[in-house]
Amino acid sequence: MEVQMRRGGATCLVQVAAVVSYVVLMASAGVRAQLRVGFYDSSCPAAEIIVQQEVSKAVSANPGLAAGLLRLHFHDCFVGGCEASVLVDSTKGNTAEKDAGPNTSLRGFEVIDRIKARVEQACFGVVSCADILAFAARDSVALVRAKQSHH
């Protein structure tokens, strides 16, 4: 799914992205009912700030990454639940999910890698990759919506 911007506002794809993001986040919340704004406030207070900063930098440099991050989260959650399996690299004897047919065009892995590295520096072993994917998808949609409301 690509986010296409026009002068004066966004196409309906932005609205579709927002709806899909909401549905995916609500579905993943129903499965675990743990991730919420402020979930890491006591165990890793910088987590959400780091995600917002990195997503903002990436989407400012390449607005298409907003859709890429949302799609990355969607592909992670689509079949087996939101467990960050789409981030796992292939090995010599095993083709990973990220290298399977529908996933070879996914984008945003480098953004998630940068976020994870910074979060691990702030609080090692606390924030899951699946939660980072969910926060990044949420924040990318929020950035696009904010841009849309300013035009």
Side-chain angles (χ1 to χ4, degrees):
M1 177 182 305
E2 292 292 321
V3 174
Q4 299 175 358
M5 299 296 285
R6 293 186 184 155
R7 281 198 192 280
T11 67
C12 65
L13 289 178
V14 171
Q15 294 166 347
V16 170
V19 170
V20 169
S21 176
Y22 178 78
V23 169
V24 169
L25 290 174
M26 291 302 105
S28 64
V31 172
R32 300 205 190 250
Q34 292 178 354
L35 186 61
R36 65 186 184 291
V37 173
F39 179 78
Y40 289 104
D41 281 356
S42 60
S43 59
C44 187
E48 288 191 62
I49 295 163
I50 291 168
V51 174
Q52 288 171 347
Q53 289 172 344
E54 291 299 325
V55 168
S56 182
K57 278 194 285 190
V59 171
S60 291
N62 179 357
L65 272 177
L69 290 167
L70 175 60
R71 185 169 174 247
L72 192 61
H73 179 61
F74 174 79
H75 278 250
D76 182 51
C77 297
F78 188 67
V79 176
C82 306
E83 77 291 55
S85 60
V86 74
L87 301 176
V88 176
D89 291 325
S90 293
T91 61
K92 201 168 208 163
N94 184 40
T95 301
E97 185 178 332
K98 77 183 336 180
D99 295 320
N103 296 336
T104 58
S105 63
L106 291 176
R107 303 179 298 148
F109 292 106
E110 69 286 350
V111 178
I112 302 302
D113 289 343
R114 281 194 303 271
I115 294 168
K116 184 63 174 171
R118 284 191 59 199
V119 168
E120 288 298 303
Q121 282 182 328
C123 36
F124 183 78
V126 175
V127 182
S128 74
C129 291
D131 288 353
I132 288 172
L133 276 172
F135 285 141
R138 177 202 64 192
D139 292 348
S140 67
V141 171
L143 281 169
V144 171
R145 288 183 54 91
K147 270 190 170 181
Q148 176 186 7
S149 68
H150 286 95
H151 290 295

